[in-house]
């Protein structure tokens, strides 16, 4: 099947001699940044998972005393925050970084240094918000931090300060990255790659960037208000001043609902790459897949208040938001059916990636259907803030986003490291994970509908919830070994995995036409794209015969006369370095790191204000500001590439 | 170079247009402030819609001429108009949700 | 049509033929729409909900002290500052046009005004000064409000008003700094038509900030209620 | 999946094991919600079965076999795509229509004959007021069977959410707003239910529970009239088990006090009222909390047993308690920060459903409320006890075990 003989793996030779750490701190290579994202977010995933294990341990039996109420409240807040902002979003970002330029035939992202900045500020923000859990002073207001509980009056300690500032910092990272990737996808596609030829992962990432661009400013403002309330005594959420707590809720969920699609769409994109490749068939209904992604994203801005059916918005608002929410089932259903019919009539190869992708379809449907049951407000009033909701969102988040990301990791690992991951271990990981996740999250439906509220650190015996909680805890503790198998496989395969060629899965898209791992410049000659599955056009023309091909790619491209580093679609075998080929590469720089550090220091200064410690507060704020402004100027006045 | 091309293709307004735009902006602003000082007008039903329309016109001409969206690549138009629409709809949605209509209809009491 | 000219500035092949930075700034402006929509929504939602005065359009008597607080907003001053900001936009387009047309011969019979139109320094200075003028008005407005008893902590109106207009003011400040940097380059080596894009980016940002003010001026200042 | 289905059947059938099930046909509200749920489950199951069946069939049928044929390379089929756009849309119509109808029905104004109950959420307990009867109680609600009940929901601090899963959907308590929820418990008979707070509200969110009882209209009236009366102390016979007897009004320590007009009971002569409580023998086990007492708080059983109500009355009336609690009929006890204790002896639970209301738990509670309930706003009062929030040890002014036992006896006598 993998027809291409193992090509010599590319090894960068002429990189200047720097220490490993220094080369990371200064890198502007989207692939290195992608792997940095990958490792960091896997670390945070395990951390969030450990927090979940403590939660489950406490809930295993009624009236148990493993954790105190305060500890528990910090744990579930940090579990939610970590998983959403520090695990899944950056795991997606890892793929944006690694894959988007490769899939569209670009040498890098539009703004390589901004890209490095996004990573560093994510890392520093992640550390900032995570550190306090080790001292039990972590945020404890829930991942959506409802006011007025999150305000200074009811949360006087530093806990929520970390949350407000931490999310603000992480928001900068996401926004910076989204402008970068949106621009990259609009403007850096190889000649001939029009929108209808973009790989589906790139498509879904494209939609995701716009969701970020439009939703993050809203939470930024919501957080600015909270930050001002907490540090400067403004009245936005101050009940005694007549404030309306629903302001926070609306602003949060205007961000929060698009956020859940930010979490799922990249995973949908990954699955849309894995399924056709392993079925040896083109994606069924490609245009509709793209449009449905756009539609999901767009509708996602009109449903936010379905998280607020219990707040008493009135029947009209309930009706409107209930119905718009239900509508989302239609484009999502289209995706589900198109995936299934991609496999229908195919020749399915069950790689580990494929298993995870298929499981995503199976599991996401469960979460989607329970989602529809909360879209009906009178019914949701019996469900909201119970474990039934917890079941819903873990089916879509774990059964959707995480399974999709696992599929993506197994599938793209060979591209990143030139070796495949061990399939036997992958199969073990898959089955254990699959069984354990259902054991963990399915019983939560019952606990919820039988009256168990969420976010409770303890519950009384005899309420009919013991069995379900015991099952969930067993499941969670099975997820740990499953995850450990994966981690072991991941790190072992980097060194000892089966070496593979550029295209071990016989996949159809551009990223597979270059060596694994790709050289620093990605493409020695930028390919000219004439169809949606350019590689299959070369190797299996019969598979794409039915897909419309036009020659516009050619014509557009041939107009670019003189662009001598372009060539017709081909398989890259080049192993020389960028320097040898005369390809200008962005030079590495430490400046983005220091800009990020300056911003984080500036925010940290605020932490000292409520304690009245003005000196360290202002020192940090001014020092941090000076640092980031200075380095930003230096960055903007240095050209991207050094020599010409 | 490609983007010089793109630039060259596009008509750029000059002082002639700019001064008219500035004049219109100035006049609309004068009218806006002027009506604010006429109590009968302020009391009339047309006051708020009138002001909104006037400022929308100002908004539009600045965007079209000064930000040369009218002449620029159509990509920019979608990059701006799309988010602007989402923003306006969100704003209207919020105003409705916090308005007396929404609350009065909530019944229950 | 060759990539050779000056590859250093990223003039590689691009899909649309446009510069990355211009796409990014428009995406950024789209994002800012949501930012200001959130701020403006909040102001409007909280309009009339403050428990204590001062209020924007109506006087208020403190029931405990009997002290009367006048309506806080000062329309004449703000109209003037609005005018200043609008004119700065005019100066900005002229600056851009001067940079774009640098080096083109003046038509025969061109007068002093036509010559003035070619001076990017003049128009950048104008823009900066008018922007700074706007900020001065705002500083005056803020201090006088504080003197009249409206602080950011005073009531919902104070919090949402100062935060919204303060955010706008911060944007203007950033714009002035940006334009100042361009001016510095202009003095150092003269802005050339090849720098038009850099000026255009600043201009787009500047006009957007102006446009936001157009909305704020109407929604906050002119519509009472 | 097999386990899941078995469980589903289990859950649906045996209401008894699942006292907080949301599927009980107890009220109009809940029947509507369950009806919607059933429709959605019906369609949801169909969708689920169809999708998973096609999926399974596909992956089995089209798995790669050695020497198998190259797949047929269809890349789309407009007819099919239209089908799976329209079919879900149609299903959604079947869900949406009854949804909208139920929304407007359940959010209409409450029927005029509804019993009014005001609910005020506090960190972390519930205040209940019956404006028509003019009294305030805490953590336990009584409702007449068969009559609509209209709850007006407010909060004193952060957001909370009011939920009795077996009776109706929940509603949030939003600061600076009043919400409403009404339903008619018409198919419950004489029954007891658990309720909870469902909006995360801080440290003891998990411990913010309450109890709800539906009783006959006559019993409700008896209960309410007694609750409206002032506390009667000393009780006529003996403190331990106050029998339901009629007592002369002269026993009441009835002094004029600052209660709202509607609430002010006659000050001098008080109509005799019968203490009435939901019949203890009918209280199902799940309503009686089983929370263990934390090891850090202890007080000897013998000491508790030696408590004397009369002494307790005196001690209580002079200690910190009165700053936070109100006992109508005890003129010195006028606080409003904590639950109304006028008839605290008639309640089944204390501390918002966290502990059963008996001498042992009450004594421990008074000794160190904050060790018993994380974050509780009631201070630690026992002498020598450690207050986990202030991080101090109570010394001067702290209550001794004897004093605590006395107060306990006093409070329990307030039937
Ligand atoms: C990956 C993230 C993700 C995704 C994709 C979704 C998808 C959906 N969600 Fe979910 N949701 C969350 C994450 C997500 N959600 C989270 C994290 C919360 C809780 C936040 C918190 O409170 O902490 C939440 C909460 C939540 C609520 C609030 C519940 C409450 O608190 O009371 C609601 C209410 O409407 C809801 C609905 C939906 C719907 C209708 C979809 C739809 O998009 C699903 C559509 C999919 C399908 C329906 C399946 C496939 C379709 C077919 C096979 C076609 C045929 C189907 C039918 C006709 C039914 N979700
Ligand atoms: C992307 C999102 C995501 C993911 C993947 C998960 C994964 C898990 N979640 Fe999460 N969860 C949320 C998002 C997510 N959750 C959110 C948003 C909330 C709401 C928070 C709030 O209410 O504010 C929530 C809340 C939540 C609750 C409710 C808490 C409450 O309301 O009181 C529970 C309870 O069981 C839970 C459990 C779990 C479990 C068992 C997993 C498991 O799947 C975890 C599996 C992972 C592991 C088990 C890690 C493996 C560990 C190792 C490999 C370490 C081994 C090493 C050593 C021993 C050294 N979650
Ligand atoms: Cu009150 Cu949770
Ligand atoms: Cu949602």
């Amino acid at each position: 099947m993998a027809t291409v003989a193992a090509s010599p793996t590319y090894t960068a030779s002429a990189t200047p001699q720097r220490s490993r750490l220094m080369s990371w701190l200064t890198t502007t290579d989207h692939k290195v940044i992608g792997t940095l994202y990958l490792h960091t977010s896997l670390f945070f995933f395990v951390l969030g998972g450990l927090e979940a294990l403590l939660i489950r341990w406490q809930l295993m039996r009624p009236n148990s005393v493993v954790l105190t109420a305060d500890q528990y409240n910090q744990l579930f807040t940090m579990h939610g925050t970590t998983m959403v902002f520090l695990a899944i979003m950056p795991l997606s970002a890892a793929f944006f970084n690694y894959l988007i330029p490769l899939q569209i035939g670009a040498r890098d992202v539009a703004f390589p240094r901004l890209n490095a900045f996004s990573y560093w500020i994510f890392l520093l923000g992640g550390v900032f918000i995570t550190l306090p859990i080790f001292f039990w002073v972590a945020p404890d207001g829930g991942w959506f931090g409802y006011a007025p509980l999150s305000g200074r009056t009811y949360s006087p300690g530093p806990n929520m300060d970390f949350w407000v500032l931490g999310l603000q910092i992480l928001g900068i990272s996401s926004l910076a990255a989204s402008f970068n990737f949106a621009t990259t996808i609009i403007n850096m596609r190889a000649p001939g790659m029009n929108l209808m030829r973009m790989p589906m992962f790139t498509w879904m990432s494209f939609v995701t960037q716009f969701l970020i661009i439009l939703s993050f400013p809203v939470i930024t403002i919501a957080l600015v208000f909270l930050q001002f309330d907490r540090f400067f005594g403004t009245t936005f959420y101050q009940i005694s001043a007549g404030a309306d707590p629903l302001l926070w809720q609306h602003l949060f969920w205007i961000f929060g609902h698009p956020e859940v699609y930010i979490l799922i769409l990249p995973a949908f994109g990954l699955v849309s790459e894995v399924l056709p490749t392993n079925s040896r068939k083109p994606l069924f209904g490609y245009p509709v897949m793209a449009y449905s992604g756009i539609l999901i994203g767009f509708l996602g801005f009109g449903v936010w208040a379905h998280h607020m059916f219990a707040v008493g918005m009135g029947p009209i608002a309930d009706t409107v938001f209930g119905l718009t929410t239900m509508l989302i089932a239609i484009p999502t259903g289209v995706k589900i059916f198109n995936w299934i019919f991609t496999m229908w009539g195919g020749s399915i190869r069950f790689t580990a990636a494929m298993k995870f992708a298929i499981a995503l379809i199976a599991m996401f449907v469960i979460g989607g259907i329970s989602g529809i049951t909360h879209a009906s407000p009178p019914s949701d009033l019996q469900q909201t803030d119970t474990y039934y909701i917890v079941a819903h969102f873990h089916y879509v988040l774990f059964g959707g986003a995480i399974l999709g990301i696992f599929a993506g990791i197994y599938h793209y690992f060979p591209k990143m490291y030139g070796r495949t991951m061990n399939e036997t271990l992958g199969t073990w990981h898959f089955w254990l994970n699959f069984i354990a996740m259902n054991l963990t999250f399915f019983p939560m439906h019952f606990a919820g509908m039988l009256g168990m509220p969420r976010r409770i650190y303890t519950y009384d015996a005899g309420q009919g919830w013991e069995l379900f909680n015991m099952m969930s805890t067993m499941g969670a503790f099975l997820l740990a070994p499953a995850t450990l198998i994966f981690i072991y496989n991941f790190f072992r395969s980097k060194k000892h995995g089966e070496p593979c060629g550029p295209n071990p899965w016989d996949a159809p898209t551009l990223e597979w036409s270059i060596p694994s791992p790709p050289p620093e410049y990605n493409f020695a000659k930028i390919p000219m794209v004439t169809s949606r599955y350019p590689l299959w056009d070369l190797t299996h023309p019969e598979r794409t015969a039915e897909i419309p091909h036009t020659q516009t790619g050619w014509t557009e491209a041939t107009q670019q006369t003189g662009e001598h580093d372009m060539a017709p679609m081909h398989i890259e075998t080049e192993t020389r370095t960028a320097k040898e080929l005369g390809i200008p590469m962005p030079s590495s720089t430490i400046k983005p790191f220091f800009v990020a550090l300056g911003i984080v220091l500036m925010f940290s200064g605020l932490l000292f204000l409520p304690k009245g410690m003005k000196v360290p507060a202002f020192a940090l704020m001014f020092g941090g500001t000076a640092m980031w402004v200075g380095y930003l100027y230096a960055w903007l006045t240095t050209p991207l590439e050094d020599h010409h | 170079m490609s983007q010089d091309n793109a630039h060259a293709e596009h008509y750029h307004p000059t002082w002639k247009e700019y001064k008219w735009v500035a004049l219109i902006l100035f006049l609309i602003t004068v009218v806006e402030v002027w009506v604010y000082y006429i109590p009968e007008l302020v009391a009339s039903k047309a006051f708020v819609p009138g002001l909104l329309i006037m400022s929308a016109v100002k908004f539009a001409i600045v965007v079209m001429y000064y930000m040369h969206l009218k002449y620029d690549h159509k990509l920019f138009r979608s990059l701006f108009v799309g988010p602007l629409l989402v923003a306006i709809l969100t704003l209207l949605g919020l105003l409705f949700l916090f308005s007396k209509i929404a609350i009065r209809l909530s019944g229950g009491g | 049509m060759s990539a050779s000219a000056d590859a250093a500035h990223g003039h590689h092949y691009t899909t649309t033929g446009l510069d990355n930075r211009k796409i990014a700034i428009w995406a950024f402006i789209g994002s800012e729409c949501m930012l200001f929509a959130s701020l403006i929504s909040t102001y409007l939602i909280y309009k009339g909900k403050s428990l204590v005065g001062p209020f924007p359009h109506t006087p208020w008597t403190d029931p405990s002290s009997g002290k009367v607080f006048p309506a806080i907003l000062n329309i004449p001053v703000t109209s003037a500052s609005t005018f200043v900001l609008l004119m700065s936009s005019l100066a900005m387009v002229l600056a851009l046009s001067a940079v774009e047309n640098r080096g083109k011969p003046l038509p025969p019979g061109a007068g002093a005004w036509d010559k003035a139109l070619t001076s990017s320094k003049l128009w950048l200075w104008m823009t900066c000064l008018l922007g700074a003028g706007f900020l001065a008005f705002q500083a005056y407005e803020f201090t006088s409000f504080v003197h009249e008893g409206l602080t950011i902590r005073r009531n919902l109106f104070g919090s949402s008003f100062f935060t919204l207009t303060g955010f706008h003011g911060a944007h203007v400040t950033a714009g002035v700094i940006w334009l100042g940097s361009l001016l510095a380059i202009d003095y150092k080596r003269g802005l050339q038509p090849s720098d038009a894009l850099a000026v255009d980016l600043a201009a787009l940002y500047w006009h957007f900030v102006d446009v936001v003010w157009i909305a704020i001026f109407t929604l906050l200042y002119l519509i009472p209620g | 999946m097999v386990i899941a289905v078995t469980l589903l059947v289990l859950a649906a059938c045996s209401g008894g094991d699942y006292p907080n099930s949301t599927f009980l046909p107890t009220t109009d509200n809940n029947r509507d919600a369950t009806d919607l749920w059933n429709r959605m489950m019906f369609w949801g199951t169909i969708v689920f079965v169809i999708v998973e069946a096609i999926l399974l069939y596909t992956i089995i049928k089209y798995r790669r076999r050695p020497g198998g044929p190259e797949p047929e390379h269809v890349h789309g089929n407009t007819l099919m795509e239209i089908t799976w756009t329209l079919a879900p849309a149609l299903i959604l119509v079947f869900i949406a229509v009854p949804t909208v109808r139920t929304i407007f029905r359940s959010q209409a104004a409450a029927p005029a004959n509804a019993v009014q109950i005001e609910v005020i959420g506090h960190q972390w307990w519930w205040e209940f007021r019956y404006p028509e009867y003019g009294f305030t109680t805490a953590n336990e609600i009584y409702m007449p069977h068969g009559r609509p009940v209209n709850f007006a929901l407010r909060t004193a601090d952060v957001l909370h959410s009011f939920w009795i899963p077996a009776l109706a959907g929940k509603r949030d308590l939003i600061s600076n707003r009043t919400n409403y929820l009404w339903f008619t418990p018409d198919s419950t008979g004489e029954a007891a239910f658990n309720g909870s707070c469902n909006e995360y509200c801080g440290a003891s969110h998990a411990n913010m529970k309450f109890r709800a009882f539906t009783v006959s209209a006559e019993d409700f009236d008896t209960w309410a009239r007694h609750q409206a009366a002032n506390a009667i102390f000393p009780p006529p016979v003996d403190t331990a088990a106050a029998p339901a007897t009629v007592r002369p009004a002269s026993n009441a320590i009835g002094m004029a006090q600052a209660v709202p007009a509607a609430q002010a009971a006659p000050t001098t002569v008080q109509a005799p009222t019968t203490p009435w409580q939901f019949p203890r023998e009918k209280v199902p086990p799940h309503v009686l909390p089983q929370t263990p007492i934390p090891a850090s708080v202890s007080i000897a059983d013998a000491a508790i047993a030696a408590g004397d109500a009369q002494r307790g009355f005196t001690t209580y009336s002079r200690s910190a308690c009165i700053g936070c609690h109100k006992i109508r009929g005890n003129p010195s006890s006028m606080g409003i920060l904590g639950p109304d204790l006028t008839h605290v002896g008639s309640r089944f639970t204390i501390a918002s459903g966290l502990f059963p209301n008996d001498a042992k738990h009450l004594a421990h509670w008074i000794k160190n409320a904050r060790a018993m309930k994380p974050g509780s706003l009631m201070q630690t009062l026992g002498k020598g006890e450690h207050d986990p929030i202030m991080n101090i040890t109570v010394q001067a002014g702290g209550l001794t075990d004897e004093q605590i036992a006395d107060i306990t006896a006093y409070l329990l006598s307030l039937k």
Side-chain angles (χ1 to χ4, degrees), chain A residues 179 183 186-189 191 213-214 217 221 225 232-236 240-244 247 560 566 633 641, chain C residues 7 12-16 18 20-21 23-24 27-28 31 34-35 39 42 46 51 152-153 155-156 159-160 163 181:
Chain A
F179 298 130
T183 309
I186 291 175
N187 217 23
M188 309 270 289
R189 280 169 283 135
I213 286 176
L214 294 178
I221 289 304
F225 293 164
F232 311 130
T234 53
T235 60
F236 290 102
S240 54
D244 190 335
L247 177 67
Q560 311 290 334
M566 294 184 183
Y633 249 90
E641 298 143 6
Chain C
H12 305 287
Y13 165 83
T14 66
T15 317
T16 56
L18 301 163
N20 285 339
R21 285 171 290 169
I23 296 176
F28 175 72
S31 188
M34 287 302 278
L35 190 98
L39 285 163
T42 303
Y46 275 163
L51 300 183
I152 197 169
R153 304 165 168 207
N155 55 16
L156 296 174
S159 295
S160 51
T163 306
S181 317

Side-chain angles (χ1 to χ4, degrees), chain A residues 45-50 52-53 55-56 59 72 76-77 79-81 83-84 87-88 141-144 263 387 390 393-394 397-398 401-402 437 440-441 444 453-457 472 475-477 479-481 483-484 487:
Chain A
F45 173 69
V46 170
L47 192 71
L50 286 172
L53 291 185
I55 290 176
R56 285 312 327 164
L59 293 181
Y72 183 91
F76 80 71
T77 303
H79 165 68
T81 307
M83 286 299 194
V84 169
I88 301 194
W143 87 277
F144 41 73
L263 299 174
Y387 264 83
V390 179
F393 66 71
H394 283 96
L397 289 169
F398 198 99
I402 291 283
M437 81 151 267
T440 311
F441 301 120
M444 289 182 183
R454 65 192 276 204
R455 298 175 159 187
I456 51 173
Y457 77 95
S472 287
F477 278 87
L479 278 171
T483 314
L484 281 176
I487 304 269

